[in-house]
Amino acid sequence: MPTEILMPALSPTMEEGTLAKWLVKEGDTVTAGDVIAEIETDKATMEFEAVDEGVMGKILVTEGTQNVAVNTPIAVLVEEGEEVPDLARDQALAAQPAEPAAQPAAAAPEPAAPAKVEAARPEPDWPDGTKTKKQTVREALRDAMAEEMRRDGDVFLMGEEVAEYQGAYKISQGLLDEFGSKRVIDTPITEHGFTGIGVGAAFGGLRPIVEFMTFNFAMQAMDQIINSAAKTLYMSGGQMGCPIVFRGPSGAAARVGAQHSQDYAAWYAHIPGLKVAMPYSASDAKGLLKSAIRDPNPVIFLENEILYGRSFDVPMLEDFTVPLGKARIWREGSDVTIVSFGIGMTYALEAAEKLAEEGIEAEVIDLRCLRPIDTATVIASVQKTNRCVTVEEGWPVASIGNYISATLMQQAFDWLDAPVINVTGKDVPMPYAANLERHALVTTPEVIEAAKQVCYR
Amino acid sequence: MAARKTTAKPNVSPEELTQYYRDMLLIRRFEEKAGQLYGMGLIGGFCHLYIGQEAVVVGLEAAAEEGDKRITSYRDHGHMLACGMDPNGVMAELTGREGGYSKGKGGSMHMFSREKHFYGGHGIVGAQVPLGAGLAFADKYKGNGRVTFTYFGDGAANQGQVYETFNMAALWELPVVFVIENNQYAMGTAMKRSTSTPDIYHRGNAFGIPGEMVDGMDVLAVKAAGEKAVKHCRAGKGPYILEIKTYRYRGHSMSDPAKYRTREEVSKMREERDPIDHVREMLVQGGHASEEDLKAIDKEIKAVVNASAEFARESPEPALDELWTDIYAEAAD
Ligand SMILES: Cc1ncc(C[n+]2csc(CCOP(=O)(O)OP(=O)(O)O)c2C)c(N)n1
Ligand SMILES: [Mg+2]
C-alpha cells in the first residue's frame, strides 16, 4: 500500500516550512531512520527521517518550495515493485488546517481552593467551658508535632539542627529523646537536596515535616517546593499526592539585615497546589500545625521568630485542631475591618485598642491561612463596617493586601465607603540600623492612621 | 555490525534474551511512531526520544524486582514502556488525551504510575535525583527491602543538588542506584565541554559511593551491572553509581537540528553499536531465533505500536472541568 509522507512539524511552533533539499530521488529504496530531506523550520534547518521503509514512489513537493504547510503530502512511498498510484489529487491542496480547538468556557478567575467556607463567627475554636493553659507559640508547635508523631508512625521531622541541638529556635525540644534518630533527623546544610528528599519521601508514602532554619534559606529549595511538591499531583492526573509540611520562621526577626528578614506569605500564596498557613497565636499554631501534618497536600507553615516566645491561651483538649482556610475574628467592631495575619496581628490588635479610645470600633480578622484564603469572612465583615485596612509585614507590590482589596472591589464594591488601604512593610530591603529597621517595618501608628483615613476622620 | 565482543557467558537464557529484544524493539518502534505523530502535529511541545538508549532501561529492568521504584527525567518514554506501563496510556498522554496516564495534564515529560512504581517524568534537570533518594528514604524507613533506580543525564550530573543528594544518600545508606545515562550530550553541549573530568562515576568517590562505567549499548552488560548494584543496595550498603555510556540517535528534542555533531558520528554508532542489532545477532548466531521468528516479533510490536497510536488519536481530549481537578488531594479519613 502506498504511504504518503507528510510535511512534518519539527518544532513546537512550526506551522509551515521550506522543503530545502531532497536527499533521495524517485526510485530510491529507503529504510526507517534514513534522512530523506532537509527542512527549514521557523528556527533551524532540520533533517527529516523516514519512519517507514519502501521505495520513493513520487516526490510531490520539489526542493526549494517555500511555505509548505505542516501535514501537506510531500512524497509517496510505495512497496518494492508496487505501482506508483495515479496522483490525480491536487498537489497544491494543502492538508486541511486542523480544526480550531474548542474555546474553553470562560473560567471564573477563582483560586483553585477547596469549597467555599462560611464566614467565621467571633468565637474561640474550642467549646465553652474548655480549660485552657498559657503556652508559648514555641511550646504549642512542639506539642503539635509530638502529638502527631505519636498518632502516626509515618510522620517524621527533618532539618538542620532539629535533633541533637533541639532546634535552632528550640522548637523541636525533646523530640529526639521521645522519637529517636530514625524520626528526628539532622540534615546537612543542603536545603535544595533535603527538600527534594523530603518530597520524594512524601511521594513514597511518608509524611515528612521539613524544618527550614528560616524560610530565607528555603529559596535554595524553591524549585523542589513549587515544581515538585506543588505541581506533581496535577501533572500526574491525581496519582502522586505529596503530604508534606514545610515549616520554620519567616519575616523579620530583629537586626539581622536584608538576607535574613523577609516575609514569604505572598510568595507561597501565589502557588496553586500549596496550602499556606501563618498563625499568630499559640492555639492557632498548635491547631493549624496538627491539621497541616494530617493534610494530604504540601503545606507551607510560616512561623515568626518574635512570636515564638509569646504566650496565649491554649485549650486543654486531647486532640485540638484548627481547620486550614478559616479566618478568626479576634475583635468585633462596627466602624472598620482590619485584616491581618501572623505578626501583623500584633499591630492590628494594638491599633484597635487605641482606636477604641478615640471612639472607632475596629473589627479585627486574623486570616490564619493565605491559601485557601477566607475571603468570605472578610467580605461579611466589610458588609457591616463598609471600610477595610489590611496589615502585613511583607512588601507592598503583589501583596496579600492587594488580593484582599481586589476581592472586595469585585465582590463587595457596593458596600465599600472608602478605598481599601494596604498597610505593608516598606518597599526596601531590610536595613540593619535600628532606627531604619523600625521604619521599614509596619508600625501601629500607621495602622491607626490608615483606619482613620478610611473612616474619613 | 562490525567486531564487537558479545559477553562471553551470557547471564541470560534464550527466552530472556528474546524478551529483551522485544522490549527494546517496542521502545524503538514506539519512539519512531511518536516522532511521526509529532510531525503530524498530534504531539506538541517538547518531545525527547529515547532511540539508541534502549539497552539501558531494558537491562536495568531485568535486574529489578517487583516493587522496586524508578524515577527519571523528561526523556522518559523508554522507562515507562520498560517497566510495563501500557503503551496506549503513554501515547495518549503524548497526544494530550483523556486516556493518557496523567489524563492529558502532564504530557511527554510528566507521567507517573503508582501501580508500576514509576515516579516520573521530571522536567527540571536534576530535580529527580533528590526525589529518587527520598523514595529510597521512604523504603528504608519502612524497611521493605526495595531499591530505587534514579536516572539522570550527563548534563544533569553537573547540578549541585546531585552532590547534595550523593552526600545524604551515602550518609544515610539509602537503597538507591544512581544511573547516569551518559549519552555524551546535554542538548548541544558535548560532555567534554561541560564536565571537568572524563568519568562522572568517579565523583562518587568523594562521598564514598562505589560506582562503575558500563557499556550501555550492551543489554547484558547493563543487566550484569544492574544486578551488582541492586545487590549492594539490598544488602544495606547504601547507594551505588552506574555510569552507563550510551548514545541518542535523534536530536535532543524534536526541534533540535543536532548540528553539534557530525552525521558520520551518528551513523557510525548506529551501524557499529546498535543495541538492538546486537541482541538480534546474538539470537540468530546462537541459533535461538530464525529470521522468521524475528520477523514475527517485529510484526507483533508494530501492531502494538500502531494500536497505541490509534488509541492516542481516538481518545478524546480531557473534559474542560479537568482543568480544575487534581490541584488538591482530599483528606482520606
Ligand atoms: C534546571 C534546568 N535547566 C535547564 C533546562 C533545559 N534543559 C532541558 S534538557 C537539558 C539538557 C540535559 O542533558 P542531560 O542531562 O545530559 O540529559 P539528556 O537530555 O541527554 O537525556 C537542558 C539544558 C531544564 N529543563 N532544567
Ligand atoms: Mg545527555
Side-chain angles (χ1 to χ4, degrees):
Chain A
M1 224 184 56
T3 315
E4 277 180 346
I5 297 175
L6 305 180
M7 181 73 169
L10 294 169
S11 85
T13 46
M14 174 175 170
E15 283 169 10
E16 56 176 37
T18 299
L19 208 166
K21 196 166 174 198
W22 278 110
L23 301 172
V24 290
K25 44 186 201 314
E26 291 177 4
D28 284 359
T29 304
V30 298
T31 50
D34 285 354
V35 179
I36 55 172
E38 282 179 6
I39 285 167
E40 276 172 34
T41 72
D42 49 348
K43 295 210 174 74
T45 301
M46 305 277 298
E47 289 177 346
F48 178 39
E49 294 178 3
V51 266
D52 295 300
E53 48 203 15
V55 174
M56 281 304 282
K58 179 119 189 106
I59 284 175
L60 303 175
V61 175
T62 53
E63 63 181 37
T65 311
Q66 295 179 349
N67 307 333
V68 183
V70 163
N71 278 338
T72 309
I74 54 175
V76 175
L77 206 59
V78 294
E79 278 172 38
E80 197 72 61
E82 188 185 17
E83 277 288 303
V84 179
D86 180 23
L87 288 153
R89 74 153 53 217
D90 183 1
Q91 293 173 15
L93 193 117
Q96 290 295 316
E99 246 177 72
Q103 286 296 312
E110 249 174 48
K116 279 229 182 321
V117 283
E118 267 180 46
R121 267 188 283 273
E123 290 154 6
D125 296 295
W126 47 85
D128 262 355
T130 304
K131 278 212 178 108
T132 62
K133 63 175 171 188
K134 283 272 181 233
Q135 243 191 340
T136 61
V137 170
R138 173 178 285 113
E139 291 160 345
L141 290 168
R142 193 257 335 272
D143 285 359
M145 287 194 284
E147 286 177 21
E148 293 307 299
M149 287 176 78
R150 279 174 214 136
R151 188 173 168 269
D152 182 349
D154 287 341
V155 177
F156 70 96
L157 173 67
M158 73 193 295
E160 293 160 20
E161 311 290 4
V162 298
E164 300 203 356
Y165 195 84
Q166 310 285 319
Y169 295 96
K170 299 286 177 278
I171 305 301
S172 52
Q173 204 138 31
L175 296 184
L176 176 65
D177 278 352
E178 182 174 352
F179 299 102
S181 59
K182 183 188 171 191
R183 298 180 65 195
V184 183
I185 301 158
D186 279 325
T187 65
I189 308 159
T190 179
E191 279 77 7
H192 199 181
F194 73 66
T195 301
I197 288 181
V199 173
F203 291 154
L206 299 183
R207 294 185 163 261
I209 305 170
V210 173
E211 173 173 314
F212 291 118
M213 191 177 279
T214 81
F215 262 95
N216 301 291
F217 316 135
M219 283 204 279
Q220 296 208 336
M222 205 50 128
D223 175 61
Q224 291 291 1
I225 296 172
I226 291 165
N227 273 319
S228 302
K231 297 179 184 172
T232 303
L233 183 73
Y234 195 80
M235 296 193 300
S236 64
Q239 291 183 73
M240 291 289 155
C242 186
I244 191 169
V245 175
F246 300 105
R247 50 156 290 274
S250 155
R255 310 290 311 281
V256 290
Q259 292 179 336
H260 285 69
S261 311
Q262 189 166 332
D263 173 6
Y264 287 91
W267 282 58
Y268 293 107
H270 189 63
I271 311 298
L274 293 180
K275 293 188 179 180
V276 184
M278 188 156 163
Y280 161 61
S281 73
S283 62
D284 285 346
K286 182 172 184 184
L288 288 169
L289 184 53
K290 281 165 65 79
S291 294
I293 295 168
R294 289 181 202 181
D295 200 277
N297 298 286
V299 181
I300 304 286
F301 200 86
L302 302 169
E303 301 160 8
N304 185 284
E305 194 188 327
I306 292 167
L307 294 177
Y308 279 153
R310 301 245 175 113
S311 294
F312 295 83
D313 287 337
V314 176
M316 294 167 72
L317 290 170
E318 196 159 305
D319 189 20
F320 169 67
T321 59
V322 172
L324 296 167
K326 206 152 175 34
R328 172 172 175 187
I329 299 174
W330 274 77
R331 190 184 189 288
E332 282 187 282
S334 50
D335 298 329
V336 55
T337 300
I338 304 179
V339 181
S340 190
F341 50 92
I343 195 163
M345 285 297 295
T346 316
Y347 313 112
L349 289 169
E350 210 172 70
E353 292 303 318
K354 298 252 166 69
L355 287 164
E357 289 165 17
E358 300 184 40
I360 297 175
E361 290 302 327
E363 179 143 301
V364 181
I365 296 174
D366 179 357
L367 288 171
R368 302 198 285 197
C369 272
L370 306 165
R371 182 178 269 273
I373 189 165
D374 182 1
T375 49
T377 293
V378 177
I379 290 168
S381 175
V382 168
Q383 286 175 341
K384 185 171 74 177
T385 63
N386 312 111
R387 295 152 210 279
C388 182
V389 169
T390 66
V391 183
E392 70 195 289
E393 193 184 275
W395 288 308
V397 179
S399 64
I400 299 292
N402 290 171
Y403 180 71
I404 295 288
S405 310
T407 304
L408 289 172
M409 190 166 69
Q410 288 163 18
Q411 297 181 38
F413 188 74
D414 291 340
W415 282 273
L416 281 174
D417 284 346
V420 178
I421 295 181
N422 300 146
V423 180
T424 67
K426 309 303 177 294
D427 206 8
V428 297
M430 186 63 71
Y432 168 70
N435 63 330
L436 296 182
E437 185 185 61
R438 236 178 353 257
H439 278 278
L441 290 165
V442 172
T443 63
T444 301
E446 286 164 355
V447 180
I448 294 171
E449 178 54 36
K452 285 185 178 167
Q453 213 174 312
V454 297
C455 292
Y456 301 111
R457 298 260 300 252
Chain B
M1 244 246 354
R4 157 149 66 173
K5 282 201 307 246
T6 47
T7 316
K9 257 197 221 141
N11 48 347
V12 290
S13 65
E15 291 71 37
E16 286 171 309
L17 201 57
T18 312
Q19 190 57 45
Y20 306 155
Y21 178 73
R22 205 184 275 275
D23 293 346
M24 289 197 284
L25 199 65
L26 173 64
I27 296 172
R28 173 126 346 151
R29 291 285 112 83
F30 182 96
E31 293 291 64
E32 286 165 356
K33 182 58 81 177
Q36 193 182 19
L37 297 189
Y38 191 96
M40 292 161 73
L42 284 162
I43 296 172
F46 292 129
C47 182
H48 309 85
L49 302 183
Y50 197 65
I51 296 176
Q53 302 183 210
E54 297 90 343
V56 180
V57 288
V58 170
L60 289 178
E61 284 298 333
E65 275 178 18
E66 174 53 36
D68 288 343
K69 300 183 168 75
R70 59 284 283 165
I71 184 166
T72 187
S73 69
Y74 44 82
R75 196 179 301 286
D76 55 357
H77 311 163
H79 303 68
M80 294 188 277
L81 296 175
C83 74
M85 287 168 66
D86 179 6
N88 288 7
V90 179
M91 196 68 96
E93 189 60 37
L94 298 185
T95 52
R97 304 300 173 90
E98 185 184 272
Y101 266 99
S102 299
K103 302 189 234 167
K105 300 202 280 194
S108 163
M109 302 190 284
H110 313 292
M111 266 183 264
F112 305 80
S113 167
R114 278 239 182 245
E115 188 202 343
K116 299 290 180 191
H117 313 286
F118 179 73
Y119 286 81
H122 295 269
I124 305 297
V125 168
Q128 76 274 23
V129 179
L131 295 173
L135 292 167
F137 179 98
D139 286 333
K140 178 165 178 162
Y141 191 97
K142 295 176 188 163
N144 61 14
R146 301 275 60 97
V147 166
T148 299
F149 292 89
T150 299
Y151 294 86
F152 56 102
D154 48 292
N158 289 318
Q159 276 281 13
Q161 59 184 320
V162 170
Y163 301 97
E164 297 188 21
T165 303
F166 279 7
N167 181 46
M168 285 180 280
L171 187 69
W172 299 334
E173 296 178 327
L174 302 180
V176 52
V177 183
F178 294 112
V179 183
I180 302 164
E181 291 197 67
N182 183 352
N183 61 11
Q184 301 162 53
Y185 291 91
M187 285 184 72
T189 305
M191 198 183 123
K192 62 175 176 296
R193 296 201 298 118
S194 69
T195 304
S196 60
T197 50
D199 295 330
I200 304 172
Y201 75 97
H202 281 163
R203 294 179 178 182
N205 291 343
F207 304 90
I209 307 177
E212 61 191 271
M213 179 79 84
V214 184
D215 178 359
M217 306 309 262
D218 177 351
V219 71
L220 299 186
V222 175
K223 180 183 184 236
E227 282 167 346
K228 191 170 158 196
V230 164
K231 200 169 152 214
H232 176 93
C233 291
R234 269 201 244 284
K237 295 182 187 165
Y240 200 92
I241 298 173
L242 296 177
E243 179 179 354
I244 306 193
K245 266 273 176 58
T246 179
Y247 199 80
R248 71 167 152 72
Y249 295 172
R250 295 292 189 94
H252 167 72
S253 66
M254 290 304 297
S255 45
D256 171 19
K259 290 285 140 72
Y260 42 81
R261 58 185 188 187
T262 62
R263 194 177 291 169
E264 290 68 41
E265 179 184 308
V266 183
S267 44
K268 194 167 150 62
M269 269 296 190
R270 285 181 110 134
E271 275 152 33
E272 297 179 6
R273 301 297 331 270
D274 188 76
I276 299 179
D277 285 350
H278 177 221
V279 173
R280 187 178 231 284
E281 221 159 77
M282 275 192 282
L283 286 170
V284 175
Q285 281 173 5
H288 308 307
S290 64
E291 286 294 340
E292 299 299 279
D293 297 337
L294 295 177
K295 270 225 172 86
I297 294 176
D298 288 4
K299 214 172 145 192
E300 214 179 284
I301 298 287
K302 224 178 190 158
V304 171
V305 168
N306 285 339
S308 77
E310 192 57 29
F311 178 80
R313 299 174 74 139
E314 295 304 317
S315 178
E317 289 189 305
L320 280 184
D321 52 14
E322 276 299 335
L323 184 63
W324 297 100
T325 66
D326 304 323
I327 300 161
Y328 292 99
E330 296 292 332
D333 31 49

